[in-house]
């Protein structure tokens, strides 16, 4: 890719009303803060699935209202879902997660479908266009197969989707093609099968709570191949910094006592060293060579500055030693 990704990529699910209905004025303040804290180039990660296209619409509207030139932003669109009219009182996808939205989406995976979703995404953005594209959660698409034979067919459709995205890059309609996935093994499979990737985004895969050595080895291979890595969901959907959601499911001390014990011990060490848990999670998420950026999301404009600071600061080695001593960070983790 001919751009340098900044240390923070702005996630936009809040602009699609994830978990709460965010007023437009508040969304515009969020976008304004994005631009204020990235004066040269702001990279925004979005998807047609976010609020059934509402996030893309909100991005385009906010940028236009703020009179932002296209060259000041790079928009990444994760493709694979297409907006359709609502057929009932509630949307049929991600039940209960998206609040106060007016449309539904259907999954669209395949060669022709990628072009349709790409064009619809740009229509929703209005005066702007996406310059980075990827297939949205291909791991989940394949996992929904009911048989091994269907899994193979679905994987072939993912490969067809990447043929389309590669064509968009070859025709210079986009500047980079990547993949975002919660299951890093699917990224590895695509990479090993020769899918040309400029960047990858790991979601809920490489965090302070979970950082398997097998993934570290794959990340080393990606770095050697010059593939840009972006780390997403480094708070495990907010749980590591005090939230009630872990990997997009609600948890409690009764149902998941080990998770809460881990967090209690983590918080205790953070307090002892006067370290923000969010800062610790972010610095860990950036620690692997080749990880150039974190994708961070907030529904609160005043938190954008904090998010930016989390990728700019550093922590003393003693803090990491204490995490290893208490079994919260693998003793053989080589980069801290």
């Amino acid at each position: 890719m001919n751009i340098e990704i900044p240390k923070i990529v702005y996630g936009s699910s809040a602009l699609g009303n994830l978990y709460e209905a965010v007023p437009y004025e508040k969304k515009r303040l969020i976008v304004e803060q994005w631009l204020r804290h990235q004066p040269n180039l702001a990279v925004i990660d979005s998807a047609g699935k976010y609020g059934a296209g509402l996030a893309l619409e909100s991005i385009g509207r906010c940028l236009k209202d703020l009179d932002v030139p296209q060259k000041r932003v790079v928009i990444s669109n994760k493709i694979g879902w297409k907006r359709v009219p609502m057929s009932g009182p509630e949307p049929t996808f991600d039940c209960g997660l998206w609040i106060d939205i007016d449309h539904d989406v259907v999954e669209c995976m395949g060669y022709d479908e990628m072009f349709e979703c790409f064009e619809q995404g740009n229509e929703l953005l209005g005066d702007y266009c996406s310059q980075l594209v990827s297939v949205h959660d291909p791991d989940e698409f394949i996992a929904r197969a009911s048989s091994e034979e269907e899994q193979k067919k679905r994987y072939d459709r993912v490969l067809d989707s990447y043929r389309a995205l590669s064509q968009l890059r070859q025709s210079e309609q986009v500047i980079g093609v990547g993949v975002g996935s919660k299951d890093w093994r699917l990224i590895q499979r695509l990479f090993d099968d020769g899918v040309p990737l400029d960047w990858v985004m790991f979601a809920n895969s490489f965090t302070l709570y979970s950082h398997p050595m097998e993934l570290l080895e794959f990340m080393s291979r990606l770095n050697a191949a010059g593939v840009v890595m972006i780390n997403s969901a480094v708070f495990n959907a907010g749980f590591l910094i005090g939230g009630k959601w872990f990997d997009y499911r609600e948890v409690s001390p009764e149902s998941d006592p080990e998770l809460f014990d881990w967090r209690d011990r983590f918080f205790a060490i953070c307090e002892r060293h006067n370290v923000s848990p969010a800062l610790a999670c972010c610095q860990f998420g950036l620690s692997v060579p080749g990880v150039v950026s974190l994708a961070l999301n907030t529904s609160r404009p005043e938190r954008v500055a904090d998010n930016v600071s989390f990728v700019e600061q550093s922590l003393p080695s003693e803090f990491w030693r204490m995490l290893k001593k208490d079994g919260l960070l693998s003793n053989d983790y080589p980069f801290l």
Side-chain angles (χ1 to χ4, degrees):
M1 294 189 297
N2 60 353
I3 62 165
E4 184 174 344
I5 304 291
K7 279 189 176 182
I8 186 169
V9 169
Y10 295 119
S12 64
S13 56
L15 274 62
N17 291 358
L18 180 65
Y19 304 135
E20 62 177 312
V22 180
Y24 173 71
E25 289 303 318
K26 193 173 183 180
K27 293 178 182 181
R28 190 171 68 177
L29 285 173
I30 292 171
V31 175
E32 187 176 25
Q33 288 296 306
W34 289 349
L35 298 162
R36 178 174 297 175
H37 291 283
Q38 293 289 349
N40 296 321
L41 182 70
V43 178
I44 305 167
D45 175 62
S46 196
K49 190 180 183 183
Y50 290 173
L54 178 61
L56 291 169
E57 272 187 329
S58 299
I59 290 167
R61 181 181 172 188
C62 290
L63 292 174
K64 184 175 182 179
D65 285 354
L66 293 168
D67 197 25
V68 179
Q70 172 77 65
K71 65 181 181 181
R72 278 278 284 107
V73 294
V74 168
I75 300 169
S76 175
N77 188 11
K78 299 190 290 284
I79 298 173
W81 295 80
K82 186 175 180 180
R83 171 186 275 192
V84 295
M86 195 93 77
S87 59
E90 298 290 336
T92 59
F93 73 107
D94 292 347
C95 293
L97 295 186
W98 305 98
I99 309 303
D100 194 20
I101 61 175
D102 299 324
H103 297 84
D104 209 340
V105 288
V106 292
E107 197 163 38
C108 291
M109 200 73 67
Y111 182 81
D112 292 331
E113 290 83 351
M114 286 295 107
F115 292 114
E116 293 175 11
C117 290
F118 175 71
E119 291 171 2
Q120 185 186 71
N122 285 344
E123 289 172 1
L124 293 172
L125 286 167
D127 292 346
Y128 299 84
C129 62
S130 52
Q131 298 121 300
L132 301 178
V133 290
S134 62
V135 174
H136 195 183
D137 290 336
D139 53 327
E140 295 182 358
F141 172 71
I142 294 169
R144 284 191 292 273
S146 58
S147 66
E148 191 172 319
E149 181 181 358
E150 187 185 354
Q151 279 190 357
K152 182 181 182 307
K153 290 180 179 179
R154 285 183 172 234
Y155 183 68
D156 288 341
R157 285 177 67 187
V158 171
L159 294 180
D160 285 341
S161 299
Y162 272 103
R163 284 198 302 112
L165 298 189
S166 295
Q167 188 169 325
L168 288 175
R169 181 178 52 193
Q170 290 166 8
S171 62
E172 299 184 348
Q173 295 182 69
V174 300
I175 60 177
V177 171
V179 58
S181 174
K182 298 180 182 69
D183 184 352
W184 65 269
R185 291 175 180 82
L186 191 277
I187 298 177
Q188 184 179 52
R189 182 180 180 184
L190 293 170
F191 179 77
D192 289 341
D193 283 348
V195 173
L197 299 171
D198 300 299
W199 58 274
V200 303
M201 178 181 286
F202 297 107
N204 277 339
S205 298
F206 184 79
T207 71
L208 191 50
Y209 178 79
S210 176
H211 40 275
M213 290 304 298
E214 301 92 339
L215 175 53
L216 279 173
E217 292 169 0
F218 175 51
M219 294 169 83
S220 177
R221 291 174 55 206
L222 289 173
N223 188 37
V227 179
V228 170
M229 287 179 278
I230 302 168
N231 202 356
S232 174
V234 295
F235 307 136
N236 285 104
F239 179 79
L240 301 189
I241 55 174
K244 64 180 181 179
W245 295 82
F246 178 85
D247 292 1
Y248 307 105
R249 65 182 178 90
E250 193 169 351
V251 293
S252 69
E254 293 74 26
S255 63
D256 299 272
E258 292 182 0
L259 277 179
F260 283 82
D261 174 68
W262 188 100
R263 188 172 71 179
D264 288 344
R265 291 185 291 124
F266 172 52
F267 280 6
I269 293 176
C270 287
E271 184 176 0
R272 197 178 313 154
H273 289 266
N274 195 28
V275 168
S276 159
L279 174 60
C281 291
C282 289
Q283 286 301 306
F284 179 82
L286 283 168
S287 61
V288 177
V291 176
V292 303
S293 183
L294 297 185
L296 297 177
N297 184 43
T298 182
S299 61
R300 296 165 55 187
E302 66 274 15
R303 292 298 302 273
V304 174
D306 292 336
N307 285 350
V308 173
S309 72
F310 293 151
V311 304
E312 298 294 344
Q313 300 179 48
S314 60
L315 292 172
S317 57
E318 175 62 22
F319 174 75
W320 303 112
R321 282 197 294 269
M322 287 300 296
L323 290 181
K324 289 183 178 181
K325 183 178 179 181
D326 203 36
L328 299 173
L329 175 59
S330 300
N331 278 318
D332 54 357
Y333 186 75
F335 303 117
L336 293 169

